[in-house]
Amino acid sequence: MARSLLALAKTLCFILHVQSCTCGEAEIIGGEKVTAHSLPHMALLYNSLGNPVCGGTLLSSTWVLSAAHCFKYEIDTVRLGVVTINNSKTDGFVQARKVAKQYKHPNYENATFLHDLLLLKLSQAVEETMAIKYLPLANTIPDPKEGTICLVAGWGMVNVLIEAMSDDLMSANVTVIKRETCNLTKYNNTGYTITSDMVCAGTVDENPDVRDTCRGDSGGPLMCNGVQVGITSFGKGCAIRTKPGVYTFLSKQHIDWMNKVMQKQELF
């Protein structure tokens, strides 16, 4: 019975996308529990029903960066300093803020995931503490080279058969793969084109544990050499070695757009 359920999970994983399932693996696939407050820029986004749905990055006291496709979940609240979801409402380190405004990239395409960026303006400033730190945007971000080891993190789902986020914040290392490789039929039968505004990353070594992001991790950061270079965007299922995750690249065009929005709105 257990074998048949796992087979079903993997089948469902294969046909879904947008970091849609975990194929019976744990949390952020192939990852490990994050040491408390070691990623103090991580944000957890909640919908209007009070359910956690996406991740994000705290850029400043009033701005959070996430993925545009998370907009459909009707983001209402952001919690910072979260270690475990179940304790987030009673943990004295956690700060919760309502979302005042949301800005999707004007060229975002739901059908192709191009320009999958979302800026959230918080209704009240967040105070920096030992558990909560801002991660400002770099002025320019080099395109990560093939083979670069990067970090992903989030509270993604535990199992495709269980509609629940991971209680713990998890992280994993993924390896950047060339766009040309990811666009080969072997790697890409999603129908999506991996463009210069995207980064492809997954598991390329012989480790049997495939590392990947999944549903619920969307909007979280892709960190390379301590710098955020991307945003968790989409993938063909989860934890499939030949179907690596795809991340929105924080290109100069994207950074310019974000800075323009934030600077303009701070005047009001």
Side-chain angles (χ1 to χ4, degrees):
M1 181 64 176
R3 185 182 295 273
S4 63
L5 286 176
L6 180 59
L8 174 60
K10 288 187 175 181
T11 299
L12 289 171
C13 247
F14 185 77
I15 62 175
L16 295 173
H17 61 274
V18 191
Q19 308 306 8
S20 53
C21 57
T22 60
C23 301
E25 301 290 345
E27 284 88 22
I28 202 165
I29 315 305
E32 58 186 20
K33 186 177 177 179
V34 172
T35 301
H37 310 308
S38 62
L39 295 176
H41 54 272
M42 289 294 300
L44 183 56
L45 281 50
Y46 288 74
N47 65 15
S48 56
L49 298 177
N51 299 318
V53 290
C54 283
T57 305
L58 182 66
L59 300 180
S60 71
S61 63
T62 55
W63 289 98
V64 169
L65 174 62
S66 188
H69 75 262
C70 290
F71 183 87
K72 65 185 179 185
Y73 297 122
E74 300 180 355
I75 306 303
D76 176 78
T77 303
V78 176
R79 292 184 184 277
L80 296 309
V82 176
V83 176
T84 60
I85 292 177
N86 287 339
N87 296 333
S88 64
K89 294 184 179 180
T90 57
D91 188 335
F93 290 106
V94 174
Q95 296 180 42
R97 296 292 185 270
K98 289 289 186 180
V99 175
K101 294 181 180 179
Q102 302 185 42
Y103 302 88
K104 286 189 294 185
H105 191 284
N107 297 323
Y108 167 63
E109 294 182 8
N110 184 61
T112 62
F113 295 97
L114 283 170
H115 312 296
D116 193 8
L117 297 95
L118 176 69
L119 281 172
L120 304 173
K121 176 71 180 293
L122 305 180
S123 60
Q124 181 183 354
V126 173
E127 179 185 355
E128 273 196 301
T129 66
M130 59 83 65
I132 301 172
K133 302 290 184 184
Y134 316 144
L135 188 67
L137 288 171
N139 291 326
T140 57
I141 298 174
D143 197 352
K145 297 180 180 179
E146 179 185 24
T148 301
I149 305 298
C150 302
L151 181 78
V152 290
W155 292 267
M157 288 173 56
V158 174
N159 190 302
V160 65
L161 303 177
I162 302 174
E163 287 289 335
M165 302 274 280
S166 165
D167 188 40
D168 298 312
L169 175 61
M170 304 291 289
S171 69
N173 288 327
V174 292
T175 304
V176 174
I177 302 170
K178 285 197 305 185
R179 296 179 179 92
E180 293 83 357
T181 301
C182 283
N183 277 319
L184 295 174
T185 302
K186 174 183 176 181
Y187 284 90
N188 184 9
N189 59 8
T190 64
Y192 302 106
T193 299
I194 311 306
T195 72
S196 58
D197 286 319
M198 300 174 182
V199 175
C200 188
T203 303
V204 299
D205 55 32
E206 297 304 317
N207 191 320
D209 296 323
V210 179
R211 300 173 296 278
D212 195 9
T213 46
C214 205
R215 175 174 287 177
D217 294 319
S218 290
L222 174 70
M223 306 283 297
C224 304
N225 300 315
V227 176
Q228 181 172 5
V229 305
I231 303 166
T232 302
S233 182
F234 71 97
K236 180 73 172 182
C238 303
I240 302 173
R241 188 177 295 272
T242 56
K243 303 292 180 286
V246 183
Y247 303 81
T248 302
F249 176 48
L250 298 184
S251 62
K252 184 179 185 305
Q253 186 257 28
H254 287 155
I255 293 173
D256 288 347
W257 170 75
M258 287 186 282
N259 283 330
K260 182 178 180 180
V261 170
M262 291 188 290
Q263 290 168 5
K264 181 178 180 181
Q265 293 306 314
E266 291 298 343
L267 297 176
F268 296 95

